[in-house]
Structure formats: C-alpha cells, structure tokens
Amino acid sequence: STDYDTSDRLYFEPLTLEDVLEVVHAEQQAGPVAGVIVQLGGQTPLGLAQGLKDAGVPIVGTSPEAIHLAEDRGAFGQVLAQAGLPAPRHGTATAFDQARAIADEIGYPVLVRPSYVLGGRGMEIVYDDAMLRDYIERATQISPEHPVLVDRFLDDAIEIDVDALFDGDELFLGGVMEHIEEAGIHSGDSACALPPITLGREDIERIRQSTAAIARGVGVRGLINIQFAMASDVLYVLEANPRASRTVPFVSKATAVPLAKAAARVMMGSTIQQLRAEGLLPAEGDGGELPQGSPVAVKEAVLPFGRFHGVDTVLGPEMRSTGEVMGIDALFGTAYAKSQAGAYGPLPVKGTVFVSVANRDKRAMVFPVKRLHDLGFAIVATQGTADVLRRNGVEASVVRKHFEADNGQRDTVAMILDGDVDLIINTPFGVGARLDGYEIRTAAVVRGVPCITTIQGLGAAVQGIEALRAGEVGVRSLQSYADAIQAARTGGVG
C-alpha cells in the first residue's frame, strides 16, 4: 500500500531492476528478507521477476518460469492445448502478406495489435484487407522482434473476467464478473456486474474448471486473472495474467473477502483450506457461488472525455479509462444506476432521447427504446432508425443528420448543443478513426449529456432508469453489505 499508516516502510522509487535491488539490499541490512512479491503491482513487476531471481532475490508465490508460461503466447497455447481449452485462432506477422494470409485463414473481422504494448494500445478491429494494409503501414515498429498479433475477433461474445486464488492444489474463485459491453471493448473500459447477470450455474462451473486447469498448468501460487469470452455456447480463453488485476479491490468489496491479504498468505505457503479454517476465507463456497440474497455490484469505468473535448467517445479495444467507480444494491438496475451517477452523473428519468444506431443494432434496440417510450420519454431519431421504430409501434420524430443538406431545420448536433436532448443512444457504423456519429458524441461531451454507444449499455441503462423512477435507490454503507453477505454465508439474517 502507498498508505503510510498501513505499510511498515514506504519507498518512493522507480520500478526498475536496479532500484528494486537497492531496496532489497536496504531491507537486508535491517534483517532477513523472506522474498519479494511481484503479483500485486500490475504488469511491470512481472517483467522484473526473472532479473530479481537471477540476482539471487527469492520470489515468493508464482515463479518467474510460471510467469513466462502465462506471458509467452506459444507456451501458454501449449498449456491450453494440454488442458483441452479453446482460444480464438491467431497468428503473428511481420509483414502485410503474412497478416493477410492469417486473416484469410481465420476469417474477418480480426483483432490486430502490436506484441509489445499494454492496455490495448495500438489495438484495432479490422474488417477487410484495405484496413489491414493501412494498419500494417502505420505499425512503424513492426519487426521480427516485434511482430503484429492477429486474432480472430469474437463478434457478439459475452466477455467474462475472473479473479482467483490457487495454492497448487485447491482453487478459490474470488469473483466472476460479466462485462455489460460485448467483447471488443477493453476490459478496463467495460462496465461489469458481480455476480454475473446472465450466466447460469453450468456456465460458472465451466469457468471454475477452466480456471483451475489454467492455474495448475501454469503453476500459479497466489492470484490469477483470466479473461474468457462466451460465444455460441463455447467458452474461449482470451488471456491469463498470473497477478492481481485492477478488479481485485472491486471483487473484495463486492464479496466481503480480503483477496489481496489471502493471496499474500498463499504466496507465503498457507493453503486455502488453512485460510478457510482461520476465517480469512469463507468456510464453504467462494465468489462463484455467492449466498442467496447477496447484493449485485456494478463496476463502471471513469472516462476522461469531459477534459479532452474533441476526442471520440466510442469504446474499443484500446483502454482509455482513468479510474473506476462501484455501485452496489439488491438489484442490478439500481446498482447500475448508482454506478452511472458515480461516474458521469445521474441517468435522466424524463425528457427526450435521441437514437441513431448502426444497421446491425436496429433489431436489438427496438425493445429497450420502446420501454423508454412507454416510460414517457420523447423519442427523436435519424431517418433510418425512426423508420424501424415506427414500424414497431414507437412514435419517433425525425431529425436531420449533421452532414445532410440543410432543410431549414436543426440537425442532430445543434439539437444536442441547444440542450434539448437528455439521453443519446449512438452506436457507431463504419470503421476507421472518425466513425459516423463522431460529431454527435463530441457534442454530447460538450453538453454533458449521457451518451450510450453499445446496445448492451442501452439495456442496462433502461433497467437503471426504471429503478430510479421507482424510487428504489437507497444508501447503505459498504460494511453493512459485507455484514449481510457474511450473515447469509453462516445462515443468519443480514
């Protein structure tokens, strides 16, 4: 912790091998050092693990060799193959011809990214050869040492985040988080719910078995974070990180289990069975099977668009969030409404909704928009979207697109800037940097109007608006939620 009254000693030094070795040396002057934990500081400490071991510093928990197994694509692919777990088809390329051959074999769309970055930087979803050529030409650092990774993109998949503890024998599933946005949105930018809102017990059991197989195959001792995607009832493994992810504090609060503390104990040799007996972990069950009546927690990313006017607000595989908030309540809709209030301000409960969605989203948007209409919202839409809504019994006024010929009426952007729109639903269509709708989303940032860019986000927002209108949003301390979960685990009343 960087909290001076939690740590015995704090060092404010860069995370480089030289500086960490100096800290280890200073600590050794004060007494014996049991080892260094590299699992709780993100990706940078994992990269230092082998160097520290080579310098004679003991690494506690997952070994540098096991870290390499999870980090190296070929080695991790062998772990998955031995466990019989599917991953999206992929390949590596150092030139356009190689990348096109891989894309032809896998089939478009594909996810392309440099092999040397974090946070999804430089990652794009590519739909055809022309886009792929453009991406390769822009990838200035491409070389045999730094190839481009080409993955099959799982369209319409549910993305799932798992945090778990493994002691070499037993797995403790910390939490299973279901992303609200579909796969293709970076996990750091996607809202997620715990417990998952649409996954059944069989799905969670498959996730548990897959997580245990990966943790055992890699050789994890401590924390592991795995990202899965569920598409056509197939559970794909996207990636595994043998460390704490940014979701560990969220999972700990949502499930009333101190995961980081338990992980440190496991790294130092304690077993999950011992921690259950001590009461640090629940005596029975884990985060994959929360007791009946447990609250729903929603994590929402805080995005910095309000400070950077002119930046497109469309979410994608490149991470853009600068923080997170958490909403917690008995029901998903209320928890989601709280998360939005914390991140961006409250969802509207009345007023005008502007709708303009891509053709692929028109079928899925009908029911949520119809529900908003039934709740008393006025609906305005661009021509194509309005036609679909009217055919499905939703009255919608037509508003001119920003780039269409001036007919004397206000266009979409002017309407937003004039403050006459309370909620915007705009899913992008087309591909490239400046997708259609860019001006709409930019105007939304300028005016501070909530702007939803995915159909999944729209469905969640409708549930949140319903909860707000029903007056079901109450305030309760995190400690009281934790007490309720603990009471439910022991058969008491929360």
Side-chain angles (χ1 to χ4, degrees):
S1 170
T2 51
D3 196 332
Y4 64 86
D5 59 3
T6 300
S7 306
D8 291 321
R9 271 191 291 282
L10 278 176
Y11 292 87
F12 289 92
E13 302 291 343
L15 267 179
T16 66
L17 182 60
E18 184 181 6
D19 286 288
V20 174
L21 286 173
E22 287 294 331
V23 170
V24 170
H25 177 71
E27 285 297 322
Q28 285 172 336
Q29 303 307 303
V33 172
V36 173
I37 290 176
V38 297
Q39 290 185 30
L40 298 174
Q43 196 69 21
T44 307
L46 293 189
L48 300 177
Q50 189 63 56
L52 288 169
K53 184 177 180 181
D54 293 344
V57 177
I59 304 295
V60 297
T62 306
S63 68
E65 292 77 15
I67 290 169
H68 174 75
L69 259 186
E71 298 282 297
D72 181 78
R73 228 169 196 230
F76 185 60
Q78 290 178 344
V79 170
L80 295 183
Q82 287 168 5
L85 300 174
R89 294 172 67 194
H90 62 270
T92 57
T94 56
F96 169 68
D97 289 340
Q98 290 177 322
R100 184 173 61 183
I102 295 164
D104 287 343
E105 185 183 338
I106 293 172
Y108 286 108
V110 294
L111 198 64
V112 288
R113 55 184 163 157
S115 59
Y116 48 85
V117 300
L118 280 172
R121 278 176 300 171
M123 192 185 290
E124 290 182 19
I125 300 165
V126 165
Y127 291 84
D128 54 40
D129 285 354
M131 284 189 71
L132 185 61
R133 183 186 293 277
D134 177 61
Y135 179 88
I136 297 294
E137 286 172 355
R138 285 186 284 114
T140 52
Q141 294 183 30
I142 189 169
S143 68
E145 293 78 36
H146 297 305
V148 163
L149 308 179
V150 183
D151 292 78
R152 178 187 165 203
F153 176 63
L154 299 170
D155 233 343
D156 296 325
I158 299 170
E159 197 162 332
I160 300 153
D161 237 315
V162 172
D163 285 319
L165 291 173
F166 191 69
D167 63 7
D169 180 48
E170 187 180 351
L171 181 85
F172 180 89
L173 211 52
V176 178
M177 291 151 279
E178 180 180 342
H179 288 210
I180 291 166
E181 287 81 12
E182 63 189 12
I185 308 296
H186 191 280
S187 61
D189 288 351
S190 180
C192 68
L194 191 167
I197 47 176
T198 68
L199 300 180
R201 287 190 175 184
E202 287 182 6
D203 297 327
I204 291 173
E205 192 50 41
R206 282 160 64 192
I207 290 166
R208 187 192 306 280
Q209 300 298 336
S210 301
T211 302
I214 292 168
R216 189 171 283 110
V218 168
V220 168
R221 297 294 182 276
L223 277 161
I224 184 168
N225 168 260
I226 304 177
Q227 288 168 28
F228 296 98
M230 183 88 75
S232 303
D233 207 36
V234 177
L235 186 68
Y236 293 93
V237 180
L238 299 183
E239 65 176 4
N241 297 300
R243 58 173 171 83
S245 77
R246 71 180 71 78
T247 49
V248 163
F250 167 72
V251 172
S252 296
K253 291 179 174 72
T255 61
V257 173
L259 274 184
K261 186 174 185 179
R265 290 284 304 279
V266 168
M267 289 178 225
M268 295 305 295
S270 296
T271 66
I272 287 169
Q273 196 170 0
Q274 287 171 338
L275 298 183
R276 286 187 189 277
E278 287 178 27
L280 188 60
L281 294 177
E284 292 180 3
D286 57 19
E289 46 192 42
L290 292 171
Q292 191 74 27
S294 294
V296 177
V298 174
K299 173 188 78 77
E300 178 59 281
V302 175
L303 298 154
F305 302 133
R307 296 174 183 269
F308 299 99
H309 291 179
V311 174
D312 198 348
T313 63
V314 166
L315 300 178
E318 189 168 10
M319 182 174 163
R320 305 166 90 177
S321 73
T322 53
E324 294 170 341
V325 298
M326 172 176 167
I328 185 167
D329 211 289
L331 300 174
F332 169 73
T334 321
Y336 184 80
K338 286 181 174 181
S339 74
Q340 298 308 294
Y344 309 113
L347 292 166
V349 292
K350 61 181 180 179
T352 300
V353 178
F354 168 72
V355 188
S356 179
V357 300
N359 287 332
R360 65 175 182 271
D361 295 322
K362 283 189 166 68
R363 178 179 292 182
M365 63 117 191
V366 170
F367 282 110
V369 175
K370 190 174 194 312
R371 182 62 186 139
L372 289 173
H373 182 259
D374 292 343
L375 288 170
F377 283 88
I379 309 296
V380 295
T382 49
Q383 187 69 58
T385 303
D387 288 344
V388 173
L389 289 170
R390 285 170 179 164
R391 287 196 289 269
N392 286 276
V394 179
E395 277 303 313
S397 305
V398 176
V399 62
R400 178 171 62 88
K401 287 184 179 179
H402 184 59
F403 57 82
E404 289 177 342
D406 190 348
N407 60 1
Q409 296 179 331
R410 284 187 306 170
D411 64 20
T412 51
V413 173
M415 195 172 181
I416 295 164
L417 292 175
D418 288 346
D420 293 332
V421 174
D422 301 285
L423 178 66
I424 297 166
I425 301 153
N426 178 231
T427 66
F429 39 112
V431 287
R434 292 177 76 92
L435 304 155
D436 185 75
Y438 168 81
E439 288 84 2
I440 292 170
R441 295 185 293 273
T442 304
V445 172
V446 171
R447 285 295 305 193
V449 180
C451 182
I452 297 164
T453 61
T454 66
I455 289 296
Q456 294 80 8
L458 169 60
V462 170
Q463 290 191 53
I465 289 167
E466 286 179 322
L468 290 171
R469 285 174 65 99
E472 295 168 356
V473 181
V475 177
R476 195 173 165 190
S477 72
L478 201 56
Q479 288 83 352
S480 71
Y481 281 114
D483 291 343
I485 294 171
Q486 300 285 21
R489 282 187 176 125
T490 56
V493 179

